[in-house]
Every structure is written in structure tokens, then in C-alpha cells.
Amino acid sequence: MEHILRTLSDWLVQQDAIESCDRELYEYAMHSFLVSAIPLAIFLIVSGVIGMLTEGLLIVIPFMVTRKFSGGYHAGHAYTCMMISVGLLASSFYIVIHAECNWIVHILAAISGLSVMINSPIDSENKRLEEDEMNQYRRTTCLLVIITIILYSALIALNQRHYAVCLAVSLVLTAILQLPCIIQRSKKRKSLK
């Protein structure tokens, strides 16, 4: 992937679209975009092919928007990130296909939503947040989780339980990807005592 990004940035410099001193910035931006876009594209293509585009959208949109503000685990390499993303999203389909919207799903959605609200935002080593950003991200995450829970409840009330499971899965995915960071933070606190 690095070779492709370098070739693209070279071409942009040759076309006078960017300055050569900005090459690294554009390569990083393209890298970030591709790391996010490729798993999303794969997921949406697969969900469309298997006739579950609505379910795919109900999983991935709340997940991506909430995760942007809540933070969580980030893989060290792009390929690792893509493999984990595709694996988690594929297992999400399996759950949506086989799970019934029962009390277990309700409890998992509630626990995941609470966990995400309590533990967010998780500061990334790649991008440190200032105190005012932390507060804004926390409020935004809480609002997004509340909206997701309201939509989840509305879908249940409208007897669209299959779609409600998709929203529950998006909350559980967000909470799962925060878990490694929460465990690491807990270990650091214990070692400081």
C-alpha cells in the first residue's frame, strides 16, 4: 500500500496539485481514508450481495459514527486493521442472522451502551485530545449512544426486532473495541500503585 500511496503523491506533485513539502501529509490522509474505506466498502458490498444492505447500514453507520468520538483499539498496521475490521463485521452478520431480539440482546445493548458512555473518549496515542476536546467527545458519544438506544427501542416497539439487533450489535462492537484499551489503562493504574 505504501508504494501506491507514494506513486499517487508523486503524481499529485507532478501535476502541481500539492507541494512536495506536503507529500507526507497527503500520503497520511490517503492512508487513513483507505484504511477506513476499504473495510466499509467490502462490508457494504458483501451485505448488498447477500441481500442484507439495510442490516449492514444499521450496523456500520452507528458503529463508525460512535467509534469516531468514543475511541478504542487501533491496530498498529493497516492490514491488521482491515483484517480485524472485516472479521468483526462478518461476525456481526452471523450474529444478526442467528440472534433473536430477546432479553440477552437487551442486556448486552444496555451494558455496551453504558460502558461506551462511561469509558469514552479513549485517548489515542496517535492523536492526543485536549481537555475541552475530551469533554466534547464525551458529550457527543453519550448523545450518539442515547440516540442509538432510542432507535433500538423504537424498532422493538414497531416489531422490527431483526433491525433492532443490528443496532445492538453496533453498540457491542464499539464496546468490544474499547475493551483492550480499558484493560491496558487498568493495568497501568495498578502498576502505578
Side-chain angles (χ1 to χ4, degrees), residues 53-111:
L53 185 58
T54 303
E55 290 88 340
L57 291 170
L58 285 171
I59 293 169
V60 81
I61 290 173
F63 167 71
M64 287 183 68
V65 173
T66 304
R67 180 158 159 76
K68 174 178 178 18
F69 294 100
S70 66
Y73 174 75
H74 289 281
H77 301 286
Y79 296 113
T80 306
C81 176
M82 285 189 262
M83 297 305 290
I84 290 171
S85 297
V86 171
L88 284 173
L89 294 172
S91 59
S92 298
F93 268 137
Y94 181 83
I95 292 167
V96 167
I97 290 169
H98 297 302
E100 291 184 32
C101 190
N102 55 25
W103 63 272
I104 295 171
V105 173
H106 301 327
I107 290 172
L108 284 173
I111 290 171

Side-chain angles (χ1 to χ4, degrees), residues 148-165:
T148 304
I149 294 292
I150 290 170
L151 290 173
Y152 173 79
S153 302
L155 287 170
I156 291 170
L158 294 170
N159 203 26
Q160 298 294 318
R161 294 175 170 272
H162 176 70
Y163 295 124
V165 171

Side-chain angles (χ1 to χ4, degrees), residues 40-56:
L40 175 63
I42 291 169
F43 184 71
L44 291 177
I45 289 168
V46 169
S47 64
V49 168
I50 64 174
M52 295 181 68
L53 185 58
T54 303
E55 290 88 340

Side-chain angles (χ1 to χ4, degrees), residues 20-48:
S20 66
C21 62
D22 293 333
R23 177 192 319 262
E24 281 186 35
L25 176 66
Y26 281 89
E27 286 178 10
Y28 177 76
M30 289 185 288
H31 180 268
S32 297
F33 174 76
L34 289 174
V35 166
S36 298
I38 289 173
L40 175 63
I42 291 169
F43 184 71
L44 291 177
I45 289 168
V46 169
S47 64

Side-chain angles (χ1 to χ4, degrees), residues 128-144:
R128 292 289 179 204
L129 299 173
E130 299 294 326
E131 190 62 35
D132 59 328
E133 289 176 308
M134 294 278 281
N135 292 330
Q136 181 60 42
Y137 278 40
R138 184 174 292 114
R139 285 191 299 271
T140 303
T141 299
C142 289
L143 178 64
L144 291 169

